[in-house]
mmCIF file of all heavy atoms in Angstrom:
data_model
loop_
_atom_site.group_PDB
_atom_site.id
_atom_site.type_symbol
_atom_site.label_atom_id
_atom_site.label_comp_id
_atom_site.label_asym_id
_atom_site.label_seq_id
_atom_site.Cartn_x
_atom_site.Cartn_y
_atom_site.Cartn_z
ATOM 1 N N LEU A 1 -0.990 -0.289 21.379
ATOM 2 C CA LEU A 1 -0.885 -1.106 20.154
ATOM 3 C C LEU A 1 -2.281 -1.423 19.628
ATOM 4 O O LEU A 1 -2.515 -1.419 18.463
ATOM 5 C CB LEU A 1 -0.106 -2.368 20.520
ATOM 6 C CG LEU A 1 0.101 -3.311 19.345
ATOM 7 C CD1 LEU A 1 0.850 -2.691 18.215
ATOM 8 C CD2 LEU A 1 0.785 -4.628 19.859
ATOM 9 N N LYS A 2 -3.167 -1.739 20.613
ATOM 10 C CA LYS A 2 -4.494 -2.145 20.169
ATOM 11 C C LYS A 2 -5.346 -1.007 19.572
ATOM 12 O O LYS A 2 -6.195 -1.209 18.743
ATOM 13 C CB LYS A 2 -5.285 -2.737 21.355
ATOM 14 C CG LYS A 2 -4.635 -4.005 21.968
ATOM 15 C CD LYS A 2 -5.317 -4.443 23.230
ATOM 16 C CE LYS A 2 -4.634 -5.638 23.813
ATOM 17 N NZ LYS A 2 -5.217 -6.020 25.135
ATOM 18 N N HIS A 3 -5.017 0.229 20.016
ATOM 19 C CA HIS A 3 -5.795 1.370 19.523
ATOM 20 C C HIS A 3 -4.918 2.407 18.835
ATOM 21 O O HIS A 3 -5.250 3.600 18.850
ATOM 22 C CB HIS A 3 -6.504 2.053 20.774
ATOM 23 C CG HIS A 3 -7.343 1.118 21.571
ATOM 24 N ND1 HIS A 3 -6.981 0.696 22.834
ATOM 25 C CD2 HIS A 3 -8.471 0.464 21.209
ATOM 26 C CE1 HIS A 3 -7.936 -0.173 23.258
ATOM 27 N NE2 HIS A 3 -8.852 -0.332 22.344
ATOM 28 N N ALA A 4 -3.912 1.964 18.160
ATOM 29 C CA ALA A 4 -2.981 2.856 17.513
ATOM 30 C C ALA A 4 -3.681 3.533 16.321
ATOM 31 O O ALA A 4 -4.506 2.904 15.612
ATOM 32 C CB ALA A 4 -1.727 2.077 16.967
ATOM 33 N N SER A 5 -3.339 4.791 16.091
ATOM 34 C CA SER A 5 -3.976 5.511 14.939
ATOM 35 C C SER A 5 -3.315 5.129 13.611
ATOM 36 O O SER A 5 -3.955 5.286 12.597
ATOM 37 C CB SER A 5 -3.816 7.060 15.186
ATOM 38 O OG SER A 5 -2.498 7.458 15.254
ATOM 39 N N GLN A 6 -2.092 4.651 13.697
ATOM 40 C CA GLN A 6 -1.425 4.162 12.489
ATOM 41 C C GLN A 6 -1.951 2.776 12.133
ATOM 42 O O GLN A 6 -1.822 1.873 12.898
ATOM 43 C CB GLN A 6 0.064 4.208 12.693
ATOM 44 C CG GLN A 6 0.899 4.030 11.403
ATOM 45 C CD GLN A 6 0.938 5.321 10.571
ATOM 46 O OE1 GLN A 6 0.655 6.393 11.117
ATOM 47 N NE2 GLN A 6 1.309 5.246 9.341
ATOM 48 N N LYS A 7 -2.526 2.665 10.947
ATOM 49 C CA LYS A 7 -3.132 1.374 10.589
ATOM 50 C C LYS A 7 -2.659 0.902 9.198
ATOM 51 O O LYS A 7 -2.167 1.708 8.379
ATOM 52 C CB LYS A 7 -4.654 1.447 10.597
ATOM 53 C CG LYS A 7 -5.208 1.691 12.006
ATOM 54 C CD LYS A 7 -6.706 1.673 11.947
ATOM 55 C CE LYS A 7 -7.317 1.691 13.396
ATOM 56 N NZ LYS A 7 -6.971 2.883 14.096
ATOM 57 N N ASN A 8 -2.782 -0.420 8.975
ATOM 58 C CA ASN A 8 -2.349 -1.041 7.715
ATOM 59 C C ASN A 8 -3.561 -1.472 6.932
ATOM 60 O O ASN A 8 -4.560 -1.950 7.480
ATOM 61 C CB ASN A 8 -1.473 -2.236 7.971
ATOM 62 C CG ASN A 8 -0.188 -1.900 8.674
ATOM 63 O OD1 ASN A 8 0.305 -0.716 8.610
ATOM 64 N ND2 ASN A 8 0.436 -2.821 9.343
ATOM 65 N N TYR A 9 -3.496 -1.328 5.607
ATOM 66 C CA TYR A 9 -4.570 -1.707 4.733
ATOM 67 C C TYR A 9 -4.014 -2.524 3.515
ATOM 68 O O TYR A 9 -2.958 -2.236 3.008
ATOM 69 C CB TYR A 9 -5.293 -0.451 4.151
ATOM 70 C CG TYR A 9 -5.948 0.343 5.261
ATOM 71 C CD1 TYR A 9 -5.264 1.343 5.904
ATOM 72 C CD2 TYR A 9 -7.240 0.089 5.611
ATOM 73 C CE1 TYR A 9 -5.853 2.079 6.922
ATOM 74 C CE2 TYR A 9 -7.873 0.830 6.638
ATOM 75 C CZ TYR A 9 -7.168 1.795 7.293
ATOM 76 O OH TYR A 9 -7.734 2.525 8.318
ATOM 77 N N LEU A 10 -4.753 -3.603 3.200
ATOM 78 C CA LEU A 10 -4.394 -4.422 2.077
ATOM 79 C C LEU A 10 -5.230 -4.002 0.841
ATOM 80 O O LEU A 10 -6.443 -3.956 0.877
ATOM 81 C CB LEU A 10 -4.730 -5.897 2.388
ATOM 82 C CG LEU A 10 -4.271 -6.883 1.297
ATOM 83 C CD1 LEU A 10 -2.741 -6.934 1.217
ATOM 84 C CD2 LEU A 10 -4.832 -8.313 1.624
ATOM 85 N N VAL A 11 -4.509 -3.685 -0.245
ATOM 86 C CA VAL A 11 -5.149 -3.228 -1.450
ATOM 87 C C VAL A 11 -4.853 -4.213 -2.570
ATOM 88 O O VAL A 11 -3.698 -4.550 -2.829
ATOM 89 C CB VAL A 11 -4.559 -1.787 -1.859
ATOM 90 C CG1 VAL A 11 -5.394 -1.262 -3.063
ATOM 91 C CG2 VAL A 11 -4.636 -0.838 -0.675
ATOM 92 N N GLY A 12 -5.882 -4.653 -3.257
ATOM 93 C CA GLY A 12 -5.778 -5.573 -4.419
ATOM 94 C C GLY A 12 -6.050 -4.834 -5.700
ATOM 95 O O GLY A 12 -7.042 -4.138 -5.807
ATOM 96 N N PHE A 13 -5.157 -5.018 -6.669
ATOM 97 C CA PHE A 13 -5.243 -4.291 -7.956
ATOM 98 C C PHE A 13 -5.680 -5.243 -9.063
ATOM 99 O O PHE A 13 -5.447 -6.459 -9.010
ATOM 100 C CB PHE A 13 -3.872 -3.644 -8.311
ATOM 101 C CG PHE A 13 -3.511 -2.543 -7.349
ATOM 102 C CD1 PHE A 13 -2.832 -2.850 -6.217
ATOM 103 C CD2 PHE A 13 -3.847 -1.244 -7.625
ATOM 104 C CE1 PHE A 13 -2.474 -1.854 -5.308
ATOM 105 C CE2 PHE A 13 -3.518 -0.215 -6.755
ATOM 106 C CZ PHE A 13 -2.838 -0.519 -5.603
ATOM 107 N N ALA A 14 -6.252 -4.665 -10.121
ATOM 108 C CA ALA A 14 -6.733 -5.467 -11.271
ATOM 109 C C ALA A 14 -5.637 -6.077 -12.059
ATOM 110 O O ALA A 14 -5.818 -7.122 -12.624
ATOM 111 C CB ALA A 14 -7.694 -4.595 -12.100
ATOM 112 N N ASP A 15 -4.486 -5.333 -12.153
ATOM 113 C CA ASP A 15 -3.395 -5.852 -12.949
ATOM 114 C C ASP A 15 -2.063 -5.287 -12.452
ATOM 115 O O ASP A 15 -2.075 -4.347 -11.619
ATOM 116 C CB ASP A 15 -3.565 -5.574 -14.413
ATOM 117 C CG ASP A 15 -3.838 -4.107 -14.718
ATOM 118 O OD1 ASP A 15 -3.004 -3.321 -14.301
ATOM 119 O OD2 ASP A 15 -4.844 -3.780 -15.355
ATOM 120 N N SER A 16 -0.933 -5.778 -12.956
ATOM 121 C CA SER A 16 0.322 -5.359 -12.446
ATOM 122 C C SER A 16 0.687 -3.941 -12.806
ATOM 123 O O SER A 16 1.369 -3.259 -12.102
ATOM 124 C CB SER A 16 1.449 -6.305 -12.950
ATOM 125 O OG SER A 16 1.445 -6.333 -14.357
ATOM 126 N N ALA A 17 0.162 -3.450 -13.957
ATOM 127 C CA ALA A 17 0.410 -2.080 -14.367
ATOM 128 C C ALA A 17 -0.172 -1.117 -13.319
ATOM 129 O O ALA A 17 0.497 -0.090 -12.929
ATOM 130 C CB ALA A 17 -0.200 -1.825 -15.742
ATOM 131 N N GLU A 18 -1.394 -1.393 -12.881
ATOM 132 C CA GLU A 18 -2.013 -0.538 -11.874
ATOM 133 C C GLU A 18 -1.249 -0.631 -10.574
ATOM 134 O O GLU A 18 -1.035 0.444 -9.883
ATOM 135 C CB GLU A 18 -3.440 -0.992 -11.653
ATOM 136 C CG GLU A 18 -4.366 -0.660 -12.812
ATOM 137 C CD GLU A 18 -4.640 0.842 -12.930
ATOM 138 O OE1 GLU A 18 -5.357 1.399 -12.057
ATOM 139 O OE2 GLU A 18 -4.116 1.439 -13.871
ATOM 140 N N LEU A 19 -0.803 -1.814 -10.195
ATOM 141 C CA LEU A 19 -0.036 -1.988 -8.954
ATOM 142 C C LEU A 19 1.255 -1.205 -9.012
ATOM 143 O O LEU A 19 1.575 -0.443 -8.070
ATOM 144 C CB LEU A 19 0.226 -3.461 -8.719
ATOM 145 C CG LEU A 19 1.019 -3.801 -7.468
ATOM 146 C CD1 LEU A 19 0.586 -5.208 -6.915
ATOM 147 C CD2 LEU A 19 2.532 -3.841 -7.696
ATOM 148 N N ASN A 20 1.976 -1.322 -10.083
ATOM 149 C CA ASN A 20 3.242 -0.587 -10.225
ATOM 150 C C ASN A 20 3.142 0.895 -10.251
ATOM 151 O O ASN A 20 3.946 1.622 -9.643
ATOM 152 C CB ASN A 20 3.983 -1.042 -11.494
ATOM 153 C CG ASN A 20 4.460 -2.524 -11.418
ATOM 154 O OD1 ASN A 20 4.692 -3.025 -10.318
ATOM 155 N ND2 ASN A 20 4.507 -3.169 -12.548
ATOM 156 N N LYS A 21 2.047 1.356 -10.866
ATOM 157 C CA LYS A 21 1.821 2.817 -10.903
ATOM 158 C C LYS A 21 1.488 3.346 -9.539
ATOM 159 O O LYS A 21 1.982 4.414 -9.092
ATOM 160 C CB LYS A 21 0.676 3.078 -11.882
ATOM 161 C CG LYS A 21 0.398 4.596 -12.099
ATOM 162 C CD LYS A 21 -0.580 4.850 -13.291
ATOM 163 C CE LYS A 21 -1.970 4.432 -12.885
ATOM 164 N NZ LYS A 21 -2.993 4.817 -13.910
ATOM 165 N N PHE A 22 0.737 2.567 -8.753
ATOM 166 C CA PHE A 22 0.378 3.002 -7.361
ATOM 167 C C PHE A 22 1.625 2.954 -6.510
ATOM 168 O O PHE A 22 1.829 3.929 -5.726
ATOM 169 C CB PHE A 22 -0.681 2.070 -6.726
ATOM 170 C CG PHE A 22 -0.952 2.333 -5.291
ATOM 171 C CD1 PHE A 22 -1.687 3.413 -4.894
ATOM 172 C CD2 PHE A 22 -0.363 1.520 -4.349
ATOM 173 C CE1 PHE A 22 -1.871 3.688 -3.556
ATOM 174 C CE2 PHE A 22 -0.520 1.792 -2.996
ATOM 175 C CZ PHE A 22 -1.289 2.893 -2.607
ATOM 176 N N VAL A 23 2.475 1.908 -6.572
ATOM 177 C CA VAL A 23 3.671 1.865 -5.790
ATOM 178 C C VAL A 23 4.570 3.055 -6.034
ATOM 179 O O VAL A 23 5.173 3.607 -5.139
ATOM 180 C CB VAL A 23 4.397 0.532 -6.017
ATOM 181 C CG1 VAL A 23 5.748 0.555 -5.350
ATOM 182 C CG2 VAL A 23 3.563 -0.648 -5.463
ATOM 183 N N ALA A 24 4.655 3.431 -7.295
ATOM 184 C CA ALA A 24 5.490 4.592 -7.659
ATOM 185 C C ALA A 24 4.965 5.855 -7.076
ATOM 186 O O ALA A 24 5.720 6.694 -6.512
ATOM 187 C CB ALA A 24 5.557 4.691 -9.218
ATOM 188 N N GLU A 25 3.639 6.019 -7.056
ATOM 189 C CA GLU A 25 3.001 7.246 -6.490
ATOM 190 C C GLU A 25 3.140 7.225 -4.965
ATOM 191 O O GLU A 25 3.550 8.240 -4.366
ATOM 192 C CB GLU A 25 1.532 7.346 -6.813
ATOM 193 C CG GLU A 25 0.854 8.567 -6.211
ATOM 194 C CD GLU A 25 -0.625 8.515 -6.174
ATOM 195 O OE1 GLU A 25 -1.241 7.610 -6.868
ATOM 196 O OE2 GLU A 25 -1.238 9.320 -5.476
ATOM 197 N N ALA A 26 2.887 6.093 -4.342
ATOM 198 C CA ALA A 26 2.981 5.981 -2.862
ATOM 199 C C ALA A 26 4.376 6.227 -2.355
ATOM 200 O O ALA A 26 4.577 6.735 -1.241
ATOM 201 C CB ALA A 26 2.491 4.600 -2.440
ATOM 202 N N GLY A 27 5.366 5.917 -3.151
ATOM 203 C CA GLY A 27 6.787 6.125 -2.789
ATOM 204 C C GLY A 27 7.071 7.587 -2.597
ATOM 205 O O GLY A 27 8.021 7.930 -1.905
ATOM 206 N N LYS A 28 6.297 8.481 -3.224
ATOM 207 C CA LYS A 28 6.490 9.929 -3.114
ATOM 208 C C LYS A 28 5.560 10.554 -2.114
ATOM 209 O O LYS A 28 5.585 11.764 -1.889
ATOM 210 C CB LYS A 28 6.282 10.564 -4.505
ATOM 211 C CG LYS A 28 7.210 10.009 -5.555
ATOM 212 C CD LYS A 28 6.774 10.536 -6.956
ATOM 213 C CE LYS A 28 7.575 9.812 -8.059
ATOM 214 N NZ LYS A 28 7.140 10.320 -9.413
ATOM 215 N N SER A 29 4.650 9.760 -1.577
ATOM 216 C CA SER A 29 3.597 10.310 -0.722
ATOM 217 C C SER A 29 4.057 10.590 0.721
ATOM 218 O O SER A 29 4.894 9.888 1.233
ATOM 219 C CB SER A 29 2.448 9.337 -0.690
ATOM 220 O OG SER A 29 1.447 9.810 0.225
ATOM 221 N N GLU A 30 3.515 11.626 1.272
ATOM 222 C CA GLU A 30 3.815 11.954 2.679
ATOM 223 C C GLU A 30 2.725 11.425 3.660
ATOM 224 O O GLU A 30 2.857 11.572 4.851
ATOM 225 C CB GLU A 30 3.985 13.441 2.860
ATOM 226 C CG GLU A 30 5.163 14.010 2.100
ATOM 227 C CD GLU A 30 5.342 15.526 2.339
ATOM 228 O OE1 GLU A 30 4.489 16.099 2.959
ATOM 229 O OE2 GLU A 30 6.333 16.049 1.826
ATOM 230 N N ILE A 31 1.674 10.888 3.102
ATOM 231 C CA ILE A 31 0.527 10.471 3.941
ATOM 232 C C ILE A 31 0.374 8.947 4.022
ATOM 233 O O ILE A 31 -0.436 8.470 4.807
ATOM 234 C CB ILE A 31 -0.794 11.072 3.507
ATOM 235 C CG1 ILE A 31 -1.178 10.532 2.081
ATOM 236 C CG2 ILE A 31 -0.697 12.636 3.487
ATOM 237 C CD1 ILE A 31 -2.576 10.924 1.689
ATOM 238 N N MET A 32 1.122 8.184 3.162
ATOM 239 C CA MET A 32 1.046 6.735 3.241
ATOM 240 C C MET A 32 2.353 6.168 2.847
ATOM 241 O O MET A 32 3.198 6.820 2.206
ATOM 242 C CB MET A 32 -0.091 6.216 2.349
ATOM 243 C CG MET A 32 0.082 6.578 0.894
ATOM 244 S SD MET A 32 -1.300 5.943 -0.129
ATOM 245 C CE MET A 32 -1.055 6.831 -1.652
ATOM 246 N N LYS A 33 2.567 4.930 3.309
ATOM 247 C CA LYS A 33 3.816 4.233 3.026
ATOM 248 C C LYS A 33 3.553 2.774 2.686
ATOM 249 O O LYS A 33 2.753 2.094 3.283
ATOM 250 C CB LYS A 33 4.692 4.271 4.326
ATOM 251 C CG LYS A 33 6.029 3.533 4.133
ATOM 252 C CD LYS A 33 6.824 3.588 5.475
ATOM 253 C CE LYS A 33 8.083 2.821 5.373
ATOM 254 N NZ LYS A 33 8.861 2.877 6.656
ATOM 255 N N VAL A 34 4.174 2.281 1.624
ATOM 256 C CA VAL A 34 4.040 0.902 1.228
ATOM 257 C C VAL A 34 4.999 0.081 2.086
ATOM 258 O O VAL A 34 6.168 0.333 2.184
ATOM 259 C CB VAL A 34 4.453 0.699 -0.232
ATOM 260 C CG1 VAL A 34 4.474 -0.771 -0.623
ATOM 261 C CG2 VAL A 34 3.441 1.416 -1.157
ATOM 262 N N ILE A 35 4.418 -0.877 2.831
ATOM 263 C CA ILE A 35 5.230 -1.707 3.734
ATOM 264 C C ILE A 35 5.418 -3.178 3.203
ATOM 265 O O ILE A 35 6.221 -3.874 3.696
ATOM 266 C CB ILE A 35 4.656 -1.768 5.142
ATOM 267 C CG1 ILE A 35 3.242 -2.308 5.214
ATOM 268 C CG2 ILE A 35 4.757 -0.350 5.788
ATOM 269 C CD1 ILE A 35 2.675 -2.394 6.625
ATOM 270 N N ASP A 36 4.620 -3.508 2.192
ATOM 271 C CA ASP A 36 4.738 -4.856 1.584
ATOM 272 C C ASP A 36 4.068 -4.855 0.200
ATOM 273 O O ASP A 36 3.039 -4.242 0.032
ATOM 274 C CB ASP A 36 4.096 -5.969 2.466
ATOM 275 C CG ASP A 36 4.380 -7.345 1.961
ATOM 276 O OD1 ASP A 36 5.562 -7.702 1.833
ATOM 277 O OD2 ASP A 36 3.425 -8.071 1.656
ATOM 278 N N THR A 37 4.749 -5.528 -0.771
ATOM 279 C CA THR A 37 4.216 -5.678 -2.060
ATOM 280 C C THR A 37 4.300 -7.118 -2.495
ATOM 281 O O THR A 37 5.348 -7.760 -2.409
ATOM 282 C CB THR A 37 5.065 -4.839 -3.062
ATOM 283 O OG1 THR A 37 5.020 -3.456 -2.701
ATOM 284 C CG2 THR A 37 4.465 -4.952 -4.514
ATOM 285 N N ASP A 38 3.146 -7.652 -2.903
ATOM 286 C CA ASP A 38 3.078 -9.081 -3.364
ATOM 287 C C ASP A 38 2.661 -9.066 -4.816
ATOM 288 O O ASP A 38 1.434 -8.998 -5.160
ATOM 289 C CB ASP A 38 2.046 -9.870 -2.506
ATOM 290 C CG ASP A 38 2.113 -11.341 -2.769
ATOM 291 O OD1 ASP A 38 2.509 -11.762 -3.920
ATOM 292 O OD2 ASP A 38 1.696 -12.122 -1.916
ATOM 293 N N VAL A 39 3.628 -8.978 -5.686
ATOM 294 C CA VAL A 39 3.360 -8.872 -7.185
ATOM 295 C C VAL A 39 2.510 -10.036 -7.712
ATOM 296 O O VAL A 39 1.528 -9.855 -8.408
ATOM 297 C CB VAL A 39 4.711 -8.700 -7.957
ATOM 298 C CG1 VAL A 39 4.358 -8.656 -9.447
ATOM 299 C CG2 VAL A 39 5.397 -7.420 -7.527
ATOM 300 N N PRO A 40 2.836 -11.298 -7.379
ATOM 301 C CA PRO A 40 2.034 -12.434 -7.907
ATOM 302 C C PRO A 40 0.589 -12.322 -7.508
ATOM 303 O O PRO A 40 -0.311 -12.687 -8.332
ATOM 304 C CB PRO A 40 2.702 -13.649 -7.301
ATOM 305 C CG PRO A 40 4.122 -13.262 -7.045
ATOM 306 C CD PRO A 40 4.026 -11.812 -6.644
ATOM 307 N N ARG A 41 0.327 -11.809 -6.336
ATOM 308 C CA ARG A 41 -1.077 -11.740 -5.901
ATOM 309 C C ARG A 41 -1.685 -10.352 -6.195
ATOM 310 O O ARG A 41 -2.875 -10.086 -5.861
ATOM 311 C CB ARG A 41 -1.195 -11.987 -4.413
ATOM 312 C CG ARG A 41 -0.771 -13.468 -4.031
ATOM 313 C CD ARG A 41 -0.932 -13.706 -2.526
ATOM 314 N NE ARG A 41 -0.576 -15.104 -2.234
ATOM 315 C CZ ARG A 41 -0.614 -15.613 -1.028
ATOM 316 N NH1 ARG A 41 -1.006 -14.864 0.019
ATOM 317 N NH2 ARG A 41 -0.231 -16.878 -0.802
#
């Protein structure tokens, strides 16, 4: 668990349009997965 190769990253976007566009792309990706979305932040 301490040395797992699977890691999480927090990404902050400039606006909601950019966030929504990224979430849509990531939903089709085979190399990354969205595990949490905080629209207000």
Side-chain angles (χ1 to χ4, degrees):
L1 179 63
K2 296 172 184 176
H3 305 110
S5 62
Q6 194 76 17
K7 292 184 173 63
N8 298 336
Y9 297 88
L10 184 68
V11 186
F13 294 87
D15 54 55
S16 57
E18 289 291 287
L19 181 149
N20 291 331
K21 187 168 70 171
F22 173 77
V23 170
E25 179 195 348
K28 304 172 186 176
S29 175
E30 296 181 353
I31 66 170
M32 60 181 167
K33 178 182 178 182
V34 173
I35 59 175
D36 186 58
T37 302
D38 189 335
V39 176
R41 296 183 180 180

